Structure formats: structure tokens, C-alpha cells
Amino acid sequence: MVLVIENWCSKLCVAVRWIDAIPGFFNVKSGVRQGSILSPRLFTVLINIVIVKLRDCGGGCSINNIFIGCILYADDIIVLSAVSGLQEMLNICNKTILDMDLSFNCKTSACIRFGPVCKYIITDLYTGSSTITCVTVLDISV
């Protein structure tokens, strides 16, 4: 089954249509087929590895012993933790994602603080050598 999926994904070829013209096709070397019923399921299998590792590290937030230290929507991830454990959780995310030959886009990432800790200055956080800047307001414009 893995070989079938690998074969199917490795032969992805697309074209860009401009009005009525299709200048040519090109191979897609990364990503998954957009609109495919299989793509979200494959992503779910991969990202579940990150969730399990974050839960097992013992950090992050919990309510009634239920881990809520990681919230996902599509390919976006929110990591929730006390400040003291957040960098460790980011290290786990980064290592796990790198092991899967994926990466985070730190240019679209931010750290925001809630609660009493807001009055303290917190240094920037990192995924590998990339900085995640701490902000006081999130820009959620599309």
C-alpha cells in the first residue's frame, strides 16, 4: 500500500491555465494533491506523530488530565504551554517535523502571551535556527 501511495504521489504533474492557453505541464516535487480525498488523511497520519510526542513530553496545557497543549486546524498548529516549557515543546515539534523531512514557516509564526505573564518581557523562541518573535497583538488578516 505504501508503494502504491508513493508511486501515485511521485507522478503528480500539473499545468497552469491562462485564459484558454495551457503552456505546458511540470512535475510537482513536494506537497500533496490539492483537493484529493487522500491528502488530508496522509497529513493527519504525519501530524499525529507530533501530537503524540508533545503529549508524551509532559509539558503543555491540560484540562482534567486531557492534553490540550497542541491545537491544529488544517496545516496550522498552536502550541500551548507555560512559558517555561514552550521552548522544549517547540524543540520537539522541530525535531519531529525535520525527521519527517518537513519544515515550519517561522515567517508566519508568532508567540503571544496570555495572563499574568504578559507584564514580563519574554525572549524570542526558536525552531532550529529560525526565530519566532513574541508579539502583543496577532495579525490575523489573510
Side-chain angles (χ1 to χ4, degrees), residues 17-37:
R17 184 169 92 186
W18 180 257
I19 305 173
D20 288 332
I22 299 176
F25 291 85
F26 58 93
N27 292 325
V28 176
K29 303 285 184 202
S30 64
V32 292
R33 294 176 186 259
Q34 296 298 310
S36 166
I37 195 167

Side-chain angles (χ1 to χ4, degrees), residues 98-119:
L98 286 174
D99 288 348
M100 291 187 279
D101 205 21
L102 300 171
S103 63
F104 284 107
N105 182 356
C106 290
K107 292 178 184 171
T108 60
S109 301
C111 172
I112 190 162
R113 304 170 307 266
F114 297 94
V117 76
C118 288
K119 61 185 172 186

Side-chain angles (χ1 to χ4, degrees), residues 6 35 37 46 57 62 73 105 134:
E6 181 182 5
I37 195 167
L46 285 175
C57 83
S62 295
Y73 180 77
N105 182 356
C134 287

Side-chain angles (χ1 to χ4, degrees), residues 5-27:
I5 293 170
E6 181 182 5
N7 187 11
W8 179 68
C9 290
S10 68
K11 294 181 179 171
L12 179 57
C13 185
V14 297
V16 176
R17 184 169 92 186
W18 180 257
I19 305 173
D20 288 332
I22 299 176
F25 291 85
F26 58 93
N27 292 325

Side-chain angles (χ1 to χ4, degrees), residues 109-113 122 124 132-139:
S109 301
C111 172
I112 190 162
R113 304 170 307 266
I122 298 174
D124 291 338
I132 298 176
T133 304
C134 287
V135 297
T136 56
V137 175
L138 288 177
D139 178 14

Side-chain angles (χ1 to χ4, degrees), residues 58-110:
C61 295
S62 295
I63 296 177
N64 293 331
N65 293 322
I66 297 172
F67 178 71
I68 59 159
C70 177
I71 300 171
L72 294 123
Y73 180 77
D75 63 347
D76 295 323
I77 183 170
I78 298 172
V79 179
L80 300 170
S81 174
V83 174
S84 60
L86 189 53
Q87 184 60 62
E88 179 187 353
M89 291 181 74
L90 290 173
N91 292 343
I92 291 167
C93 286
N94 190 56
K95 181 180 179 335
T96 307
I97 292 294
L98 286 174
D99 288 348
M100 291 187 279
D101 205 21
L102 300 171
S103 63
F104 284 107
N105 182 356
C106 290
K107 292 178 184 171
T108 60
S109 301

